[in-house]
Amino acid sequence: MILSAIAFYVLAAIAVVSAFAVISARNPVHSVLFLILTFFSGAGLFVLMGAEFLAMLLVVVYVGAVAVLFLFVVMMLDVDFVELKQGFLNYLPVGALVAIALFVELALVAGAASQAAGPHRAPHAAGEVTNAEAIGRVLYTDYMLLFQLAGLVLFVAMIGAIVLTLRHREGVRKQDIARQVGRTRAQAVELKDVRPGQGLGGGLG
């Protein structure tokens, strides 16, 4: 219990400090890196809570996809962040009010959750399956059809995005499936009779 408490406070402190660094760093690349650190700290907190599936989801989806995408976008686009931050002080009072309201709501939710889960918390049964296994059983049994339909919708959305952004321009090399499939061995393979001591261009000189 002591090690769990120490790990919790260390991960929580890192998450809070790195989250503050995300919005206070002047370099946008540093902000994205601090965001990745925040995600990793949150994943560690999920592991301490016994929600290893959420921790894995946070690392794979947010760190492996969203944060890396942010990093590539920030590094590839030439965005003038100095100009974007010029009107920051004008919106500071409104942002402070929103932040205070958010903290009050989080405090109310945390207090209600601690009271509800205190004496009435269900004990863990011996040999209980992990939450990842339980979610997998429910997802691939009761909601198998909906899971497949969601994958089909995402597949159609991906094809639609490709079709909408596809532009045919002259002088741009593109893939010709029919030509690739119709290639013969004579067109694809060229045999060379290399004699000992000689290269493809003639003698060694």
Side-chain angles (χ1 to χ4, degrees):
M1 296 298 294
I2 297 177
L3 292 178
S4 299
I6 294 175
F8 170 78
Y9 286 114
V10 170
L11 291 174
I14 294 175
V16 172
V17 173
S18 58
F20 180 76
V22 171
I23 61 176
S24 61
R26 295 182 178 274
N27 193 333
V29 177
H30 295 168
S31 298
V32 177
L33 294 178
F34 280 120
L35 181 64
I36 295 175
L37 179 60
T38 306
F39 286 151
F40 272 111
S41 303
L45 293 175
F46 279 133
V47 171
L48 292 178
M49 295 172 57
E52 64 274 2
F53 179 77
L54 293 179
M56 178 187 66
L57 202 65
L58 187 63
V59 172
V60 172
V61 176
Y62 286 93
V63 177
V66 178
V68 176
L69 179 62
F70 286 167
L71 184 60
F72 275 106
V73 170
V74 168
M75 293 178 66
M76 292 178 63
L77 297 181
D78 189 11
V79 181
D80 191 1
F81 290 94
V82 177
E83 183 179 355
L84 293 177
K85 292 182 179 180
Q86 288 180 354
F88 175 75
L89 295 178
N90 298 332
Y91 299 100
L92 185 59
V94 178
L97 293 177
V98 174
I100 293 174
L102 180 61
F103 279 117
V104 171
E105 292 177 356
L106 290 176
L108 293 177
V109 171
S114 61
Q115 293 180 1
H120 303 289
R121 189 172 183 177
H124 292 282
E128 185 182 4
V129 297
T130 61
N131 53 52
E133 184 177 355
I135 292 175
R137 289 180 180 178
V138 174
L139 185 63
Y140 293 110
T141 54
D142 299 338
Y143 299 99
M144 182 64 182
L145 179 60
L146 297 178
F147 181 77
Q148 295 292 336
L149 290 177
L152 182 61
V153 170
L154 293 176
F155 179 68
V156 173
M158 180 184 67
I159 295 178
I162 295 174
V163 172
L164 291 176
T165 57
L166 183 61
R167 297 291 183 271
H168 296 283
R169 293 178 296 178
E170 297 182 358
V172 178
R173 301 181 63 181
K174 60 182 180 180
Q175 187 178 14
D176 191 351
I177 304 297
R179 183 179 178 184
Q180 290 180 344
V181 175
R183 293 180 69 185
T184 61
R185 182 177 181 273
Q187 296 174 344
V189 179
E190 183 180 359
L191 299 179
K192 292 289 186 179
D193 188 10
V194 182
R195 297 180 181 180
Q198 293 183 352
L200 295 179
L204 297 177

